[in-house]
Amino acid sequence: MKAFVVEQYGKDGLRAAEVAEPEVGEDDVLVKVSAASVNPLDKMVRNGEFKQLLKYRTPFVLGHDVAGVVTRVGSAVGDFQVGDEVYARPRDLRIGTFADYIAIDQDDVARKPASLTLHEAAAVPLVSLAAWQALVDRAHLKPGQKVLVHAGSGGLGSTVIQLAKHLGATVATTASGQNAELVRRLGADIVVDYKKDFADVLSGYDVVLDSLGGENLQKSLTVLKPGGQAISVTGPPDPGFAKQLGAPQFIGVVMGLLSRKVHKQARKLGVSYSFLFMQSNGAQLRELAALYDAGHLRPIIDKTFPFDQTLQALAYVEQGRANGKVVITLN
């Protein structure tokens, strides 16, 4: 089958290739890929940024989001059958959605939202799971609380705005002037031009979701009220991440050193910091499908590319200017 494979870590390490169809285990469903979407995580994995923790053996197929049709089921699979239209974010070490087919553990799969096409559904698993796990699982967001979402017009930001609004929060976001109307339509109550200092105009927030890191994360700590939470999807990683991956204890110590500065600053301000590396979860995807079908969430798609232009799609996402998600279509 056709696939895009990481032959070696690095910017130029992704290539089109012919590979064998995946083996289907007893707990797996084999999905014929209709569409996949591109995430910043694809670039990070391709470049080897997590190679000490996620032990991919090159060559391996890249891609973390998928929607498609089930073509075979393992002997222990009871909830899916051939012909089902599904969507998923396959678990780490079993990624590979930039391909004609992928075998996915049944626990990571859900039937796609009925209101979305397969191409639309491919845009949402990773970002919707990340939004849910940040706001519901991690922040325990309550109605009336205040949330700041950075880069609100991006794939993750646009989803977090919608989910936070659905959960009853007051939502602020940073975005460019030309995208201000888009993020307001998604539910943002306050829009701050990303070229301006958001810390000058915002304060008393319960939760900040940061996808930019660095100085932006440090400033984000200052807009939180005492007891507030800063959650970052770009890092620095912390010991909780090492524990999540089941890494050896010394890796947790290293993660503690990497995040020591931001944790120290957070403690001084009476707030908390944590790194979020989203996890696959078919049960949560079923809950999220209901939110899409009820109209509380909708996918924002910037651009689609045919499968043979997967390298161009990844390069486009790397420019950091996409409004919403970039989708790769196979049929």
Side-chain angles (χ1 to χ4, degrees):
M1 68 175 185
K2 295 177 182 176
F4 280 84
V5 172
V6 177
E7 294 182 337
Q8 61 189 32
Y9 286 122
K11 186 175 177 63
D12 299 320
L14 188 65
R15 296 276 188 275
E18 285 285 337
V19 300
E21 281 191 20
E23 295 182 6
V24 181
E26 62 178 14
D27 293 312
D28 295 343
V29 296
L30 184 68
V31 177
K32 180 173 175 51
V33 179
S34 296
S37 71
V38 182
N39 295 280
L41 181 59
D42 296 312
K43 176 200 74 171
M44 298 167 81
V45 170
R46 179 203 65 192
N47 291 352
E49 293 183 30
F50 296 117
K51 64 183 178 182
Q52 300 303 321
L53 291 166
L54 297 174
K55 303 289 188 179
Y56 290 105
R57 295 175 60 183
T58 57
F60 63 91
V61 182
L62 194 61
H64 290 81
D65 267 332
V66 66
V69 179
V70 174
T71 60
R72 199 187 322 164
V73 298
S75 58
V77 174
D79 292 336
F80 299 98
Q81 56 190 8
V82 172
D84 284 346
E85 294 185 332
V86 297
Y87 75 146
R89 190 290 205 192
R91 64 187 57 183
D92 298 313
L93 303 181
R94 294 200 63 185
I95 64 169
T97 63
F98 298 166
D100 287 326
Y101 292 89
I102 181 172
I104 312 172
D105 190 290
Q106 61 178 332
D107 289 342
D108 301 341
V109 181
R111 287 175 181 79
K112 76 164 183 65
S115 59
L116 303 185
T117 67
L118 285 164
H119 291 179
E120 290 171 331
V124 301
L126 187 148
V127 292
S128 62
L129 284 170
W132 183 273
Q133 291 167 18
L135 298 180
V136 178
D137 293 346
R138 185 74 57 88
H140 306 294
L141 190 67
K142 298 176 178 61
Q145 290 189 314
K146 294 167 63 176
V147 176
L148 169 60
V149 184
H150 287 293
S153 65
L156 177 60
S158 60
T159 307
V160 173
I161 289 172
Q162 295 177 75
L163 182 58
K165 198 66 184 173
H166 170 66
L167 294 171
T170 296
V171 183
T173 191
T174 54
S176 68
Q178 67 185 32
N179 290 325
E181 185 54 37
L182 167 64
V183 294
R184 285 194 181 98
R185 288 200 306 270
L186 294 174
D189 300 288
I190 301 165
V191 182
V192 180
D193 191 312
Y194 79 98
K195 294 179 181 177
K196 297 180 180 178
D197 190 343
F198 63 89
D200 286 342
V201 294
L202 302 177
S203 63
Y205 277 72
D206 297 280
V207 181
V208 177
L209 186 67
D210 174 64
S211 56
L212 303 173
E215 183 183 352
N216 194 81
L217 172 59
Q218 294 171 28
K219 283 185 179 179
S220 294
L221 297 175
T222 69
V223 307
L224 290 167
K225 71 184 207 182
Q229 300 181 59
I231 302 168
S232 177
V233 295
T234 56
D238 58 14
F241 177 42
K243 185 177 181 181
Q244 174 182 324
L245 295 180
Q249 187 174 359
F250 79 91
I251 296 290
V253 173
V254 172
M255 296 296 168
L257 292 173
L258 289 173
S259 58
R260 181 172 57 182
K261 181 179 178 182
V262 65
H263 276 296
K264 184 178 180 180
Q265 185 183 359
R267 282 194 300 272
K268 281 184 178 179
L269 294 167
V271 301
S272 67
Y273 165 76
S274 63
F275 173 66
L276 178 74
F277 193 83
M278 60 75 53
Q279 295 179 283
S280 305
N281 192 314
Q284 289 181 352
L285 284 176
R286 288 195 293 274
E287 291 190 67
L288 287 157
L291 295 182
Y292 281 99
D293 286 340
H296 299 305
L297 301 177
R298 62 185 176 94
I300 306 298
I301 297 175
D302 180 281
K303 197 170 184 179
T304 61
F305 288 80
F307 183 56
D308 61 2
Q309 293 181 18
T310 294
L311 295 179
Q312 292 93 320
L314 197 57
Y316 180 76
V317 170
E318 285 187 76
Q319 294 172 10
R321 295 177 181 167
N323 293 328
K325 293 298 297 292
V326 170
V327 174
I328 297 163
T329 61
L330 280 79
N331 54 50

